Amino acid sequence: MANDASVVSDTLSPAVSKGSLADLFTPPADSTLWRKNFLLGAATASYQIEGAVNEGGRLPSIWDTFSATPGKVLAGDTGAVACDHYHRWEADVEMLVSLGLEGYRLSIAWPRVMDAAGVPNRKGLDFYKRLLNRLKEKGITTFATLYHWDLPQHLEDRGGWLNRETAYRFADYADLMSRELAGTVDAWATLNEPWCSAYLGYGNGHHAPGLADHRFATQAMHHLLLAHGLAVPVLRANDPASQKGIVANIGRGTPNSDSAADQRAAHLFEVQHNAWILDPLLKGSYPQDLFELWPGTEPLVLDGDMQTISAPLDFLGINYYFRTNVASDGAHGFRDVPLEGVERTQMGWEVYPDGLRDLLTGFKKTYHNLPPIYITENGMASDDQVTDGHVEDTQRISFLKRHLAAVDQAIKAGVDIRGYFLWSLMDNFEWAFGYERRFGVVHVDYSTQKRTIKRSAEWVAKFLKERKARA
Ligand code: FCB
């Protein structure tokens, strides 16, 4: 049953199959989303779903350490069990297939596949081989991220991303993975959201490893981007047929007033969130305004680094969630000014689809060499409950619909966007927020590991089925 939505069609809830929700949220006839070659999929990440942290020779990661530290994660949650995907992967793949999803973005846990001396761990490699082979058999397009934040703890013990050596170890890891998994991965992403790794991990300490100094953040960012740049040619050599790229989260910053100071604040917000990553990748330099915001934080950059970092990409993955309204802080920077009366999610994030469109069309103007784009994450958390076997997550359907419409608008404005992965396939360990925040289109009951398809997943499945039928 290769990528067949028939399973779902029989089990659609009456509300959706009769069309009420579906009609309400079906894209208009002229939407580019009806194009068959626009890939629609779902995303997850290793530490957020796998669990089995002590099995198959997996070593500790910085998130095991961080989540075990009191006060770091809501309710003291950890990824020790998560969605138990390590044991339930076959059923999870079936679920993905039954929804008719065409793409799956997953990540590989570095601490599962090699030890501190760089020796491959066969059991860990076999897990990913089995998983990727099954996805291939099912006709799913696979995007594999090499680093979605679970750095081996032994590397953090030697300085983590503050140590340039970590970038070279990452290239070794990329070498191993692309030799072992060549032919099973359609697209490799080196890093997920280096902004989060660098800023939340080393700049404000909200994420592992929990350090808080802007000088650390800029140096960690440089080594992360260097790791990316060193890995790309290795991936190209070992697995020439696949696409190579990186995934960046982007943030929309809007000024709280027309004043020049607030306009400048919004500009600096976007420099800090977007240009800090995209300029080195696409222009080969750091934005100088970043160092106006954070004086004295220029990283140590060696000769040749910027060329390594800015080597051409086959695709750019974009993750988008919300906008931030900002004002000048009266000095060099910005401060958040949350707007009243706007729609928000369980995270408190504002629902602002126009931000996605505006950023994408803006990037097209700023970066003449902007690679083809995949939206590699977009979605929302809600406090979903299972009632009579159903989860009525109508806000999520509306959220997805509005963001997909924003993608359609950006495509029509000339941005080359080739696909969209919703975050996330299923509820999972939401980092510092633990299990309380539910981002899935499938509900997970963590006490039983039962998966329940939410209305949003039914909606996506119905759309995909209809698109297939029209093709
Ligand atoms: C992104 C992360 C992803 C998930 C979503 C909600 O920043 O890449 O793992 O936690 O946010």
Side-chain angles (χ1 to χ4, degrees), residues 96-136:
L96 179 91
V97 169
S98 79
L99 294 171
L101 291 163
E102 301 160 340
Y104 183 49
R105 174 175 176 245
L106 59 96
S107 82
I108 291 160
W110 188 352
R112 241 186 231 298
V113 294
M114 72 198 299
D115 75 7
V119 178
N121 173 23
R122 202 39 57 196
K123 281 189 183 158
L125 288 168
D126 285 349
F127 170 70
Y128 295 109
K129 274 190 185 172
R130 282 194 294 268
L131 175 59
L132 284 157
N133 278 321
R134 179 70 57 83
L135 289 161
K136 197 178 164 79

Side-chain angles (χ1 to χ4, degrees), residues 214-237:
H214 291 158
R215 285 170 306 172
F216 292 169
T218 58
Q219 193 62 60
M221 176 66 87
H222 185 65
H223 292 150
L224 281 152
L225 294 175
L226 180 65
H228 155 80
L230 292 169
V232 168
V234 172
L235 297 170
R236 286 200 193 287

Side-chain angles (χ1 to χ4, degrees), residues 45 48 105 148-149 192-193 196 249 319 321 349 377 423 428-431 439:
Q48 296 181 274
R105 174 175 176 245
H148 201 125
W149 308 352
N192 177 68
E193 302 190 351
C196 292
N249 56 305
N319 296 354
Y321 287 94
W349 295 346
E377 285 181 30
W423 183 271
N428 58 50
F429 176 77
E430 179 45 36
W431 308 113
F439 273 93

Side-chain angles (χ1 to χ4, degrees), residues 268-388:
L268 288 175
F269 176 93
E270 292 197 359
V271 165
Q272 198 252 68
H273 283 78
N274 309 330
W276 184 16
I277 298 93
L278 297 181
D279 276 16
L281 290 170
L282 301 175
K283 290 183 172 172
S285 58
Y286 286 103
Q288 286 312 302
D289 286 357
L290 182 70
F291 309 113
E292 179 181 321
L293 183 67
W294 295 336
T297 65
E298 287 85 348
L300 180 65
V301 175
L302 301 191
D303 275 357
D305 283 2
M306 299 316 290
Q307 283 90 321
T308 303
I309 290 171
S310 57
L313 301 170
D314 302 329
F315 75 94
L316 175 66
I318 289 290
N319 296 354
Y320 174 79
Y321 287 94
F322 60 96
R323 74 125 157 217
T324 309
N325 188 58
V326 297
S328 166
D329 67 357
H332 295 294
F334 55 82
R335 64 185 169 86
D336 293 9
V337 185
L339 293 170
E340 306 272 326
V342 294
E343 181 185 349
R344 294 187 183 275
T345 71
Q346 189 191 17
M347 296 294 283
W349 295 346
E350 183 188 346
V351 179
Y352 191 68
D354 286 357
L356 177 57
R357 180 201 58 211
D358 296 346
L359 286 168
L360 290 169
T361 51
F363 295 155
K364 173 138 174 85
K365 290 193 194 108
T366 310
Y367 303 107
H368 63 88
N369 56 347
L370 189 69
I373 286 176
Y374 286 86
I375 307 302
T376 34
E377 285 181 30
N378 176 236
M380 59 159 281
S382 46
D383 181 18
D384 299 321
Q385 316 284 340
V386 182
T387 313
D388 298 332

Side-chain angles (χ1 to χ4, degrees), residues 62-124:
I62 55 174
W63 270 94
D64 297 290
T65 311
F66 189 75
S67 60
T69 309
K72 299 295 186 191
V73 174
L74 203 65
D77 290 341
T78 76
V81 179
C83 307
D84 196 31
H85 173 74
Y86 185 77
H87 298 116
R88 295 168 194 265
W89 66 272
E90 293 185 89
D92 288 339
V93 170
E94 280 311 309
M95 181 173 80
L96 179 91
V97 169
S98 79
L99 294 171
L101 291 163
E102 301 160 340
Y104 183 49
R105 174 175 176 245
L106 59 96
S107 82
I108 291 160
W110 188 352
R112 241 186 231 298
V113 294
M114 72 198 299
D115 75 7
V119 178
N121 173 23
R122 202 39 57 196
K123 281 189 183 158

Side-chain angles (χ1 to χ4, degrees), residues 11 153 221 400 434 446:
T11 56
Q153 181 62 41
M221 176 66 87
L400 295 174
Y446 296 108

Side-chain angles (χ1 to χ4, degrees), residues 4-178:
D4 186 342
S6 60
V7 175
V8 162
S9 64
D10 301 335
T11 56
L12 280 178
S13 65
V16 173
S17 49
K18 283 206 194 91
S20 51
L21 273 181
D23 288 348
L24 196 60
F25 297 121
T26 296
D30 71 340
S31 170
T32 56
L33 306 172
W34 288 106
R35 291 182 192 160
K36 208 177 152 265
N37 61 0
F38 184 85
L39 183 70
L40 268 164
T44 62
S46 47
Y47 191 72
Q48 296 181 274
I49 64 166
E50 285 178 3
V53 291
N54 297 316
E55 284 182 57
R58 180 187 177 279
L59 301 177
S61 80
I62 55 174
W63 270 94
D64 297 290
T65 311
F66 189 75
S67 60
T69 309
K72 299 295 186 191
V73 174
L74 203 65
D77 290 341
T78 76
V81 179
C83 307
D84 196 31
H85 173 74
Y86 185 77
H87 298 116
R88 295 168 194 265
W89 66 272
E90 293 185 89
D92 288 339
V93 170
E94 280 311 309
M95 181 173 80
L96 179 91
V97 169
S98 79
L99 294 171
L101 291 163
E102 301 160 340
Y104 183 49
R105 174 175 176 245
L106 59 96
S107 82
I108 291 160
W110 188 352
R112 241 186 231 298
V113 294
M114 72 198 299
D115 75 7
V119 178
N121 173 23
R122 202 39 57 196
K123 281 189 183 158
L125 288 168
D126 285 349
F127 170 70
Y128 295 109
K129 274 190 185 172
R130 282 194 294 268
L131 175 59
L132 284 157
N133 278 321
R134 179 70 57 83
L135 289 161
K136 197 178 164 79
E137 265 166 51
K138 298 286 182 184
I140 305 285
T141 299
T142 51
F143 276 53
T145 304
L146 285 168
Y147 184 68
H148 201 125
W149 308 352
D150 37 6
L151 186 73
Q153 181 62 41
H154 60 82
L155 289 176
E156 184 57 38
D157 295 342
R158 283 182 267 153
W161 291 110
L162 296 177
N163 183 351
R164 187 177 170 94
E165 194 54 28
T166 300
Y168 297 99
R169 296 289 72 80
F170 180 79
D172 295 343
Y173 160 56
D175 181 39
L176 172 69
M177 297 317 296
S178 52

